[in-house]
Amino acid sequence: MQDTGWEMRNGTLTHPVSRISHAAVLLPFPGARGTILPLARPLTIEDGVTGADAKTALERGRPVVLVCPPAPERMRDIWDLLAPTLGLVPGAGPSVLIVCADHTAAAEWSAVAPTGLRVHAVTGLARSAARLKQRSPDVLAGAVKDLAALVQRTALKLDQVAALVVAWPEALIAGEHAAALDTLLGEAREARRLVLSWNPALLADFLERHARRALVVGTLPVDERGAPLPPLGRVRYCVVSPGRRSAAVRDVLDSLDVGEPLIWQGGPVPEARFDAVICTALPSREELAALVRLGEPLVFISAAQLPYLRSLATLAPLALPGAADRARDRVEELRERVARVLQDGVDHELAVLDPLFERFDPAEVAAALLALLGNRGKGNGETTAPVVADAARLRVFVGVGKKDRASAKDLVGALIREAGVAKDDIGRIDVREAFSLIDVAAGAADRAVRGLTGTTIRGRRVITRLDRDR
């Protein structure tokens, strides 16, 4: 492995034009390629890099930077690169530490980990501290502030961590947790470094301090002159959490009224034409270019992914139908049903209500009946039962369902065993095809969400959140 020939001349980093290339890299990441990073403080990269070279670099203690979209679901094969470090110090603590932006991202890492690998997402400090003392996981994923708090509690010992993954520090180095991140990395200086980045050019100072002379793997968002690549086109986006994207797809399809949509969840992009292109997975630049050729894509993203998507395309936000929109739809439907009943005739009902018309305005009588009868229609057989909200309970979404062979008994057991929720606090459980909804006492809902997130039910790691659509 040899350096590519970058030279510093008169304070400027230069390279022979004939040597600038994008040599293919045989890594398990789709579309991964090698290139050269033109920075004021040069990173070193070699020609003809292979996946084995990247793994060897980590084993020898050399930092590695992977250029990739900021989405844990796109990094399912990262575990192969980290395999030599897993269990390197058995029983002493987590072998791999993944530093994330927040606890939601930590839970996503837990959800995409391979079966059999013990991954714990820090979503509650007390629970995570107890887990580390009882039986340390192979991999610990958490936000900077949470990991720093565990270190302060001496529950997490950084000198026992074999490999440290910094997941897209573009969102961390300029925020309130930048100092904590520097401290965390400084105390774990012996750990092997793997940095995931969607644009290493934004991380020059950070990489100089914490991943000096790293091996850079991936296609950088620059041309041969080092200038940023132009936008790929216009893309619409909507900020939606991963657990809500299936429901958001239905909302979008209803609002757009399209005949033949493409729901792209990753993988190859088809060449056929579609009425709409909806992306529930975060595309790479190459994938987004292919999607733009099919039409104007709509991409569901998390808030932290917005800067990455903005670097690829010209963005336009799309507002999903909210609770007010759905309420207006229900009101309009009710009006149509009332109109159909009036067309069929209500002479008998008017005779019954006539004495009330002498005391009250007819509109007030109609409104009272609507409240009393729970919006029940007449003449078309349709009935809408009144909805009575249980203020004492909240609904919890759990990302496991019938297709995973999960049952209500499994969910009750997990709530009691993993989350410490009392049986009396557990209400109705609705197990659906791909997910489940559980009514939990309001005082125990947060504990249920923290306790279930990242746990395994029927062999599947689950993501849990409060269901806001109730």
Side-chain angles (χ1 to χ4, degrees), residues 69 74 232-236 261-301 308-309 312-313:
R74 299 300 308 268
L232 295 170
R234 187 175 184 268
V235 171
R236 290 181 295 177
L262 168 64
I263 312 299
W264 187 80
Q265 299 174 319
V269 178
E271 297 182 357
R273 299 294 297 180
F274 297 90
D275 296 332
V277 178
I278 302 173
C279 305
T280 60
L282 190 66
S284 66
R285 185 178 185 89
E286 292 78 10
E287 291 165 339
L288 186 60
L291 291 164
V292 167
R293 287 194 290 270
L294 300 181
E296 185 177 86
L298 168 62
V299 184
F300 291 149
I301 59 173
Y308 164 76
L309 191 63
L312 302 183

Side-chain angles (χ1 to χ4, degrees), residues 164-247:
L164 193 149
V165 179
V166 186
W168 300 287
E170 289 91 340
L172 300 174
I173 58 174
E176 58 180 320
H177 306 303
L181 177 62
D182 284 339
T183 301
L184 197 70
L185 295 176
E187 294 183 9
R189 60 172 54 87
E190 299 301 324
R192 301 166 184 177
R193 301 290 171 87
L194 177 60
V195 179
L196 309 180
S197 170
W198 57 268
N199 188 0
L202 302 176
L203 306 176
D205 291 337
F206 173 82
L207 295 176
E208 178 70 13
R209 295 194 309 274
H210 301 296
R212 186 177 176 82
R213 292 186 63 79
L215 179 68
V216 183
V217 179
T219 302
L220 296 171
V222 296
D223 58 21
E224 293 184 350
R225 299 184 302 276
L229 294 172
L232 295 170
R234 187 175 184 268
V235 171
R236 290 181 295 177
Y237 74 93
C238 188
V239 176
V240 182
S241 63
R244 281 271 303 128
R245 289 179 185 175
S246 296

Side-chain angles (χ1 to χ4, degrees), residues 386-393 470:
V387 178
V388 180
D390 185 356
R393 295 189 183 274
R470 185 176 180 180

